[in-house]
Amino acid sequence: MRTLRALVAAALLCLVPAVSAHAAADFTYDFEDGTTQGWGPRGGGVSVEVTADAAHGGTSSLLTTGRTATWHGASINEPFVRGVGYTVTAYARLVSGQPSSTIALTVQRTPAGGDTTYERVAAATVTDGGWVRLSGNYLFTAESTGLQLYAESSDATGQFYLDDIVITPLGDPTREPISSDFEDGTAQDWAPRAAAVLESSTAAAHAGSRALAVSGRSASWDGPALNVLGRMAKGEKYALSVWVRLGPDTAAGKLGLSIERGSGGTPSYERVVSPKDVPAGEWVRLSGTYTLAYDVDFLSLYVESDGGTFPFYLDDFSMTYVQPKPIQTDIPALKDEVPFVMGSAFTRPDTLGVHGELLARHFNSVTPGNELKWDATEPREGEFNFADGDYLVDFAIRHGMTIRGHTLAWHSQTPDWVFQDADKELLLKRLETHVRTLVTRYKGKIKVWDVVNEVVDENQPDGLRRSKWYEIAGLDFIRTAFRVAHEADPDAKLFINDYNTEFPRKREALYALVKRLKVEGVPIDGVGHQLHLNIEQPPASSVEATIERFATLGVDQQVTELDVSIYTDFSSSYDTIPPELLVQQGHRYKELFDVFRRQAAKLSSVTVWGESDDVSWLRSWPIPRLNAPLPFDDELQAKPAYWGIVDPSRLAPLVRRLEAPAGTPKVDGKRDLEWDLLPDSPLARVGDVSAGFQARSSAKGLYLLAEVTDPTVGKDDRVTFTVDGTPYVVGRSGGPKAAVQRTATGYRVEALVGTGTDVNVTVHDSSGETVWNGKVTPVPAVKLTSAAHCAPVLDGVVDRAWSAAPEIRTGAWIQGTSGATAKVRSLWSGSTLYVLAQVADPVLSEESPNAWEQDSVEIFVDPGNGKTKGYEDDDGQYRVSFSGRVTVGGTFDAGGVKDHVQAVAKMVPGGYVVEAAIELPTIRLAEGTLLGFDVQVNDATGAARTSAVTWNDSTGRAYLDTSHWGVLRLARG
Ligand code: XIL
């Protein structure tokens, strides 16, 4: 439609007489009629003529000579009509003897009331050796005069031929796919962003025989760019995909896909795929979606690195319009199904099209995801920018939604100037101005503010994060932020917001802070629990414990950023998500919303961090990967997670999995050490009853344990174990082959039942029943060793102290079947665990750049023996190479553990000795304490790891997952 209208308008104005007759079809300048077909010289002294000296097709081409400036060349007036998208292709070649140069097709025009612009349509490196194809897209939208398309050269005096210039108007260009495969030997529509050299190359290919080779980059952001102006429509979503590979002599690098958009000369940059690791020699796919949320007059997508200027290849690019599925209108609105305000984070693109409809339908609260943060609102001192903030606040008000203001003071997304040359007084003044300006601006509109965000660090002695805020101003930055926010809008509800508040140590650190601030009279109304959870951890019961704990402070509480990652670690990624994981996620959402509903009196709102998976921040954090943490999927359709909130009866039943290590605990109602080697698997609370469950396998049958939390004794209290269809019912008074004992919070059941794999555990009382249903698999016993109580000297010499401890040996091969092994002993004293590893490894190498591929010992320690899938904050992987180099792994940045190890290594005949001292400040070490523990020996040959062996964990995943480590018990003497 638009094409037609624009063409009619153009024809009436006689803007493009040469093209209008052909406007609906391609227009070709082939110079075969002997005329220049409207092309003329650009620049004084330039001459443009038709010649038969060279031709791409036919017998003639256009020759440009007499140039003396780079912008001199051949030009044609007004070949384009406003509002119509075009593809432009042309062939160029240099006159014999000319040095290679970049030839570009550029548009010059002067928008009404603006400055003359120069827009590159296509460019390529051209030589005198053959014809090179130039191609690109073009569209302009602003009323303009003096429009000219011209060919220019980076060589001021270069002489060149042009031929077969084809200008093709597109149908609806915003719906047409774009693809590039570089098989035709050209760079197709890609052009360099700066100095980069692009060429179709046969040196590598993802498919076919060619890829685009990118070299000569001048900066991390320099590289291949594709002009997509006019190819994306505002409010529409596009799927982008491209394959990349490192260039020659490049061992490592990260590449990502970005967008530059501009309007009125101001550029903005957005990441579609954050730079991700591209291992040498592998093709890696960068894929993501992009929704254009702004009016633009510049739009280009490009591949960049996160640093460096290394060469790379690009291949098989595609961009396709994503036809939006209508949102479901036959399902209940989330906000109608919960007894609290239901919110979602949102950003500008989420207000458009189906995303906007989904938000309006399901949520009665919204939180701007980035637009009210300091970097967005006050990028330079005193220069406030509320364009996006106002837009989002208006959207919310128009749709009758309340707004959570996020956030006034944070260590992240805060510009450097805030802390520059700041003493405490200046910093607090800047804070005061910022807080007062924001809260005043939105007074009466934003009724809840996250005044401070993420200020707690439970690993610091005083529980406070060592941010620049804290380092310069101490607690006063928190006091000031609350005071000023309160002064600016006394009716606003002021919150302190943080993540991991469901973990006991963080919970207590935040609790102590809030309590202290309340006592001081700081106007703090509520606590925000972000609740960035994962599919396994932590259990819903920890969330409930947190809510109950803060309720004792008499503060309001809100869940502010809920999402449930499908990953338990920071590096795994799926190409496609297993459907059963989404079912599991549905049950997880159910358990969480059971908690929220039960605690509704203490909870005024629950906000999810984004409405649908396609917009989740977990698509780029902590690494770019496919994640699906939210109630609606990429097409905005309800997921099991939605049904977990709204109607769990619609969820497919969940088949859980549990390993039953070999073991023969005594069935006497007592909890043997045997059971303590692993944590109980939770059965989430229903009514008043909840439970934990474990199994051990033996020739005699399955031993089952249920620790039931059920404070009131009732005649309905019972546990039913059903194994392969056979039920075993145990009431409070016990049963055959079962023992029951009362505990502080309920009762414990132990039973020996027949061997089987399909297990159902139902714990029942008068208020309801909670169920575990799944498959139990027998596995080898969990290994147990002990540490003697004594401190060695850390010098690489095996002193006598070590002989007090039993020796264990590595023997579980996770790579290879023979190689370096270790004999290991442990000691403890105070808050320190000591580990000795005597490694048999005659040939030692540190050649690989990767620490895990060097000859080294890894010690795994989980202070709580939580056996979690994924690492908790204080779980550590401590690696010591034979030369004493220490590297530490843990959660995302190993923040809770990385400074807690000291080690000495010493080479000895036939191998090396490692002595390590590991501080464990998060627990109190005592006789009987159980630590999750394992040891791994990496054996390197040259730059490769040729074998690896552990003590207990045979999964090869000890670096990602603590659940298969063995157990170390602290002993006396
Ligand atoms: C995230 C945004 O969603 C992203 O778009 C941005 O790149 C980084 O910040 N905790 C918070 C939020 O308090 O502000 C963060 O939001 C997610 C973690």
Side-chain angles (χ1 to χ4, degrees):
M1 264 320 270
R2 185 168 58 179
T3 309
L4 200 63
R5 243 196 342 259
L7 288 173
V8 170
L12 287 175
L13 292 169
C14 295
L15 277 176
V16 276
V19 176
S20 58
H22 308 269
D26 298 4
F27 192 77
T28 303
Y29 302 92
D30 58 8
F31 313 109
E32 293 301 312
D33 62 1
T35 78
T36 63
Q37 297 177 338
W39 289 79
R42 173 182 163 91
V46 177
S47 139
V48 166
E49 61 192 305
V50 176
T51 175
D53 292 352
H56 172 257
T59 55
S60 323
S61 68
L62 190 72
L63 170 64
T64 304
T65 53
R67 298 173 60 254
T68 50
T70 53
W71 53 270
H72 284 180
S75 68
I76 187 159
N77 291 329
E78 313 283 358
F80 304 121
V81 173
R82 183 164 72 92
V84 179
Y86 296 89
T87 60
V88 178
T89 58
Y91 288 84
R93 175 177 185 159
L94 302 185
V95 171
S96 172
Q98 301 280 311
S100 122
S101 68
T102 302
I103 303 262
L105 289 172
T106 309
V107 168
Q108 170 182 331
R109 65 184 168 91
T110 310
D115 296 335
T116 299
T117 63
Y118 302 89
E119 297 156 313
R120 185 174 271 199
V121 178
T125 308
V126 178
T127 67
D128 63 357
W131 289 93
V132 171
R133 184 173 184 263
L134 311 181
S135 68
N137 294 308
Y138 189 68
L139 165 86
F140 73 103
T141 50
E143 203 74 68
S144 302
T145 52
L147 189 146
Q148 205 182 58
L149 172 69
Y150 63 97
E152 59 183 334
S153 164
S154 59
D155 174 4
T157 58
Q159 305 171 0
F160 55 81
Y161 305 105
L162 295 173
D163 202 1
D164 294 337
I165 305 166
V166 181
I167 297 181
T168 311
L170 299 166
D172 182 348
T174 66
R175 300 290 188 273
E176 308 245 330
I178 305 180
S179 61
S180 332
D181 61 9
F182 313 105
E183 294 300 318
D184 63 358
T186 76
Q188 297 181 340
D189 293 353
W190 295 78
R193 259 162 82 67
V197 176
L198 311 184
E199 56 189 342
S200 168
S201 158
T202 52
H206 172 253
S209 58
R210 287 173 172 274
L212 185 71
V214 181
S215 59
R217 297 163 63 227
S218 57
S220 63
W221 48 264
D222 188 10
L226 185 68
N227 175 9
V228 290
L229 186 66
R231 305 303 303 267
M232 292 185 175
K234 185 173 162 187
E236 301 297 349
K237 183 156 99 174
Y238 296 85
L240 300 167
S241 168
V242 66
W243 291 85
V244 291
R245 177 182 165 130
L246 299 180
D249 302 324
T250 307
K254 288 185 173 192
L255 291 167
L257 188 61
S258 303
I259 295 252
E260 178 179 346
R261 61 177 164 81
S263 154
T266 313
S268 300
Y269 305 92
E270 291 176 85
R271 287 205 146 140
V272 180
V273 183
S274 305
K276 71 181 197 186
D277 269 323
V278 182
E282 281 178 33
W283 283 99
V284 169
R285 184 171 180 213
L286 307 177
S287 74
T289 60
Y290 179 73
T291 299
L292 179 62
Y294 298 83
D295 292 315
V296 289
D297 53 27
F298 184 94
L299 192 63
S300 165
L301 59 91
Y302 59 100
V303 174
E304 64 177 331
S305 54
D306 72 334
T309 57
F310 55 84
F312 61 86
Y313 299 100
L314 176 152
D315 205 359
D316 294 332
F317 166 82
S318 70
M319 176 176 116
T320 42
Y321 167 69
V322 181
Q323 175 86 45
K325 251 198 197 170
I327 67 163
Q328 293 153 294
T329 49
D330 55 350
I331 57 172
L334 283 176
K335 64 185 177 196
D336 297 337
E337 299 295 309
V338 293
F340 33 73
V341 168
M342 185 75 210
S344 172
F346 74 146
T347 62
R348 201 165 171 136
D350 306 347
T351 62
L352 305 171
V354 285
H355 284 89
E357 290 170 28
L358 190 75
L359 279 173
R361 182 176 170 83
H362 289 281
F363 300 95
N364 46 14
S365 172
V366 276
T367 307
N370 288 312
E371 293 75 357
L372 295 175
K373 290 173 180 172
W374 201 308
D375 58 352
T377 50
E378 196 185 2
R380 281 162 295 278
E381 184 153 25
E383 254 180 58
F384 288 92
N385 173 9
F386 294 113
D388 286 343
D390 288 357
Y391 172 88
L392 294 182
V393 167
D394 287 350
F395 176 91
I397 291 172
R398 264 190 290 123
H399 290 92
M401 299 159 153
T402 58
I403 303 148
R404 298 194 80 261
H406 177 84
T407 172
L408 298 172
W410 191 23
H411 62 275
S412 182
Q413 292 181 269
T414 302
D416 292 341
W417 70 260
V418 177
F419 307 103
Q420 201 125 44
D421 306 319
D423 58 8
K424 180 168 173 176
E425 196 188 322
L426 180 59
L427 183 65
L428 293 182
K429 216 175 126 249
R430 287 172 175 166
L431 177 66
E432 168 148 11
T433 306
H434 184 82
V435 172
R436 199 176 294 285
T437 307
L438 267 75
V439 177
T440 304
R441 182 175 190 93
Y442 296 113
K443 187 172 174 188
K445 292 184 172 174
I446 296 187
K447 301 200 174 80
V448 180
W449 278 100
D450 287 331
V451 176
V452 296
N453 195 31
E454 305 182 350
V455 300
V456 169
D457 178 354
E458 70 279 31
N459 296 313
Q460 298 297 338
D462 63 359
L464 294 167
R465 179 191 288 270
R466 297 305 186 250
S467 65
K468 287 195 184 131
W469 287 113
Y470 175 87
E471 273 159 10
I472 301 171
L475 261 189
D476 279 340
F477 89 88
I478 301 178
R479 298 186 179 108
T480 302
F482 276 97
R483 173 180 58 78
V484 176
H486 185 64
E487 286 168 11
D489 184 357
D491 295 330
K493 297 287 175 223
L494 305 184
F495 276 68
I496 181 169
N497 192 46
D498 220 318
Y499 62 94
N500 280 2
T501 64
E502 60 284 5
F503 289 95
R505 287 188 309 116
K506 180 105 177 218
R507 175 199 297 155
E508 289 312 311
L510 177 62
Y511 181 93
L513 174 63
V514 175
K515 187 169 175 181
R516 173 170 176 191
L517 295 172
K518 293 268 296 174
V519 168
E520 287 180 12
V522 173
I524 179 167
D525 297 298
V527 173
H529 308 290
Q530 292 188 2
L531 252 52
H532 294 292
L533 311 179
N534 76 41
I535 190 87
E536 300 280 350
Q537 250 84 238
S541 58
S542 330
V543 175
E544 188 151 27
T546 290
I547 298 170
E548 284 175 338
R549 178 74 169 140
F550 282 94
T552 64
L553 287 175
V555 285
D556 187 12
Q557 297 183 67
Q558 301 192 339
V559 171
T560 57
E561 304 184 13
L562 175 67
D563 49 22
V564 178
S565 169
I566 60 167
Y567 301 102
T568 54
D569 61 56
F570 298 88
S571 56
S572 304
S573 73
Y574 290 109
D575 289 333
T576 43
I577 301 172
E580 58 276 14
L581 210 55
L582 298 178
V583 172
Q584 186 184 340
Q585 185 185 52
H587 288 269
R588 183 101 164 100
Y589 264 92
K590 174 209 178 282
E591 290 178 359
L592 290 165
F593 274 76
D594 281 351
V595 169
F596 303 151
R597 287 190 170 96
R598 209 154 41 220
Q599 300 293 339
K602 300 171 186 137
L603 212 54
S604 55
S605 75
V606 173
T607 291
V608 287
W609 201 245
E611 67 282 4
S612 49
D613 290 338
D614 58 329
V615 302
S616 169
W617 75 302
L618 295 179
R619 289 269 163 109
S620 57
W621 194 92
I623 54 165
R625 58 181 170 183
L626 181 60
N627 209 332
L630 295 165
F632 295 96
D633 68 15
D634 280 65
E635 299 189 298
L636 282 55
Q637 310 298 299
K639 290 166 62 190
Y642 166 91
W643 292 111
I645 301 172
V646 169
D647 181 2
S649 72
R650 302 266 303 253
L651 291 175
L654 180 61
V655 182
R656 297 186 193 266
R657 315 229 154 236
L658 184 73
E659 291 178 349
T664 50
K666 200 158 174 213
V667 180
D668 56 2
K670 294 197 191 108
R671 191 177 170 102
D672 300 353
L673 173 60
E674 169 88 54
W675 290 120
D676 282 337
L677 301 183
L678 295 181
D680 301 339
S681 293
L683 279 69
R685 182 175 151 192
V686 174
D688 291 331
V689 66
S690 62
F693 160 64
Q694 284 199 57
R696 293 291 179 274
S697 57
S698 78
K700 290 191 215 151
L702 270 183
Y703 290 89
L704 301 178
L705 166 79
E707 296 274 5
V708 179
T709 302
D710 181 357
T712 50
V713 180
K715 60 177 175 18
D716 296 325
D717 296 348
R718 61 178 184 276
V719 176
T720 307
F721 298 114
T722 307
V723 179
D724 287 351
T726 309
Y728 300 82
V729 184
V730 189
R732 284 241 188 197
S733 53
K737 291 202 184 170
V740 175
Q741 188 170 316
R742 241 185 128 135
T743 59
T745 53
Y747 59 102
R748 173 183 307 121
V749 175
E750 279 183 299
L752 173 61
V753 303
T755 296
T757 54
D758 291 344
V759 175
N760 178 297
V761 183
T762 301
V763 181
H764 190 94
D765 90 337
S766 55
S767 69
E769 59 182 33
T770 178
V771 178
W772 188 100
N773 190 53
K775 297 227 175 276
V776 171
T777 321
V779 295
V782 179
K783 288 196 178 123
L784 172 67
T785 183
S786 64
H789 189 226
C790 183
V793 181
L794 217 63
D795 56 2
V797 176
V798 185
D799 38 83
R800 279 201 23 229
W802 291 108
S803 59
E807 185 175 274
I808 55 173
R809 284 164 190 254
T810 59
W813 294 96
I814 58 169
Q815 182 189 348
T817 48
S818 67
T821 55
K823 300 186 286 186
V824 177
R825 295 173 195 260
S826 311
L827 299 171
W828 68 283
S829 170
S831 60
T832 311
L833 175 71
Y834 299 92
V835 179
L836 165 74
Q838 293 175 273
V839 184
D841 186 353
V843 187
L844 298 174
S845 166
E846 260 176 348
E847 251 177 64
S848 170
N850 299 323
W852 68 92
E853 292 174 333
Q854 302 171 352
D855 281 306
S856 54
V857 170
E858 297 181 14
I859 301 159
F860 298 90
V861 185
D862 168 2
N865 191 33
K867 296 274 182 285
T868 48
K869 293 192 180 158
Y871 278 58
E872 292 185 299
D873 230 36
D874 58 352
D875 298 339
Q877 173 197 22
Y878 307 91
R879 183 187 301 105
V880 186
S881 76
F882 69 88
S883 71
R885 279 201 331 126
V886 173
T887 41
V888 179
T891 51
F892 170 60
D893 60 355
V897 294
K898 62 173 181 267
D899 301 326
H900 291 165
V901 59
Q902 273 183 34
V904 179
K906 202 168 172 186
M907 289 194 248
V908 296
Y912 59 101
V913 171
V914 167
E915 278 187 307
I918 299 166
E919 279 304 300
L920 302 174
T922 60
I923 54 166
R924 204 181 65 80
L925 302 190
E927 183 183 0
T929 299
L930 301 184
L931 307 175
F933 181 78
D934 220 310
V935 178
Q936 176 175 323
V937 180
N938 299 315
D939 192 356
T941 307
R945 189 174 81 174
T946 42
S947 77
V949 63
T950 68
W951 170 52
N952 187 73
D953 189 336
S954 58
T955 64
R957 290 173 45 84
Y959 71 106
L960 293 174
D961 179 340
T962 75
S963 66
H964 291 93
W965 300 354
V967 177
L968 177 67
R969 182 176 185 278
L970 305 188
R972 273 270 140 216

